[in-house]
Amino acid sequence: MPHKYSAPGDHIESTKPVTVSRYRGITRLNHWVTALSLILLAISGLALFHPSLFFLSGLFGGGQVVRWLHPAIGIVLFISFFLLFLQMWKLNLPRREDVTWVAHSADVVMGREDRLPELGKYNAGQKFVFWAMTGLILVLILSGLMIWEKQLPLWRDYAPWAATIPARRIALLVHAMAAVAIILVFILHVYAAFWTRGTLRAMTTGSVTGGWAFRHHRKWLRELAKNRKMSENSKTPAE
């Protein structure tokens, strides 16, 4: 059966109380590498952003270290998020129930789950964070390469316009604006993870309670239950 709302590795565990596997170990590791990279980039980037914040460079060993470390971590972030993107993009595509979820955003804030539609693995808010991160990381890596001096020979060969002073000034402005935006999206993501009780557990232990899955992502849970039943029915009885 095709997985419409679930990812490989998602399954209902045979435990009491019922728990549901939500993220594989490789996905959780990938997520935390991305999160750590983003935090380090935010701190080192702020140190380079304004003289009043330059003291933050002391956390990395000084300005000279930050100068090469910041773009290097940027590459790590891009690769790590790209791997995460490959695992999650299909389940983050917009669906009809997302429109209803957004229309009832007040009920989301008030915790009136009974007024919300049944959802797959991710709700519209989570999908917004995912696609916002995707777009902003692309903007950051492209603008970052334009202002990274070590890459100038490459840009002169394949994109001469990107190595000009005016182009680099525009890239700096775009990079700074995208950085502020992604920090705000990251804060929103962290707040939502703590605000919705039981969510953080998914990215630490890899599983959630059956009650949490039924309350927040019922379509996802129903699909897992259906897949499990089909799997059990397909097994040949022991003789």
Side-chain angles (χ1 to χ4, degrees):
M1 176 182 176
H3 290 224
K4 185 176 181 181
Y5 298 105
S6 57
D10 296 356
H11 66 276
I12 299 174
E13 299 179 4
S14 301
T15 58
K16 294 183 179 180
V18 174
T19 58
V20 185
S21 292
R22 187 166 172 84
Y23 293 113
R24 296 175 296 175
I26 186 64
T27 304
R28 301 199 305 276
L29 176 62
N30 200 172
H31 170 271
W32 289 115
V33 170
T34 301
L36 179 60
S37 299
L38 191 56
I39 292 171
L40 294 176
L41 283 169
I43 297 173
S44 59
L46 289 172
L48 298 170
F49 180 71
H50 195 273
S52 64
L53 298 173
F54 187 70
F55 71 92
L56 293 172
S57 65
L59 297 172
F60 303 93
Q64 291 298 320
V65 176
V66 170
R67 185 181 180 186
W68 65 262
L69 186 63
H70 183 78
I73 298 176
I75 298 297
V76 173
L77 172 69
F78 177 75
I79 295 173
S80 180
F81 186 82
F82 178 72
L83 295 175
L84 206 60
F85 178 87
L86 293 178
Q87 299 174 65
M88 296 182 171
W89 73 272
K90 287 185 179 179
L91 295 178
N92 277 281
L93 292 174
R95 295 189 179 276
R96 184 176 300 175
E97 58 264 27
D98 295 328
V99 178
T100 307
W101 190 90
V102 172
H104 289 78
S105 56
D107 294 321
V108 176
V109 175
M110 298 301 295
R112 296 190 288 253
E113 303 285 341
D114 56 306
R115 302 185 183 183
L116 300 175
E118 292 190 0
L119 301 172
K121 190 167 185 176
Y122 302 110
N123 60 43
Q126 293 168 313
K127 291 178 180 180
F128 165 77
V129 170
F130 177 82
W131 290 110
M133 285 285 186
T134 300
L136 290 169
I137 287 175
L138 282 174
V139 171
L140 286 168
I141 192 68
L142 292 174
S143 58
L145 287 173
M146 289 178 64
I147 59 181
W148 192 8
E149 292 183 1
K150 291 182 179 180
Q151 293 297 315
L152 285 180
L154 178 66
W155 286 110
R156 289 194 184 101
D157 293 337
Y158 297 100
W161 55 270
T164 64
I165 296 300
R168 294 181 67 194
R169 286 174 177 170
I170 294 174
L172 279 167
L173 176 61
V174 171
H175 195 80
M177 294 174 65
V180 172
I182 202 169
I183 289 173
L184 294 176
V185 171
F186 181 75
I187 292 174
L188 174 64
H189 176 57
V190 173
Y191 176 79
F194 281 97
W195 181 64
T196 307
R197 293 179 60 183
T199 300
L200 192 61
R201 167 179 170 170
M203 270 301 174
T204 53
T205 67
S207 64
V208 293
T209 64
W212 184 95
F214 184 80
R215 180 178 181 182
H216 299 292
H217 301 277
R218 202 167 300 179
K219 278 188 177 180
W220 172 64
L221 181 63
R222 290 187 192 281
E223 181 175 272
L224 296 182
K226 187 174 182 179
N227 290 342
R228 178 179 177 176
K229 185 176 181 179
M230 292 177 63
S231 177
E232 291 175 349
N233 291 338
S234 65
K235 292 181 180 178
T236 304
E239 296 181 356

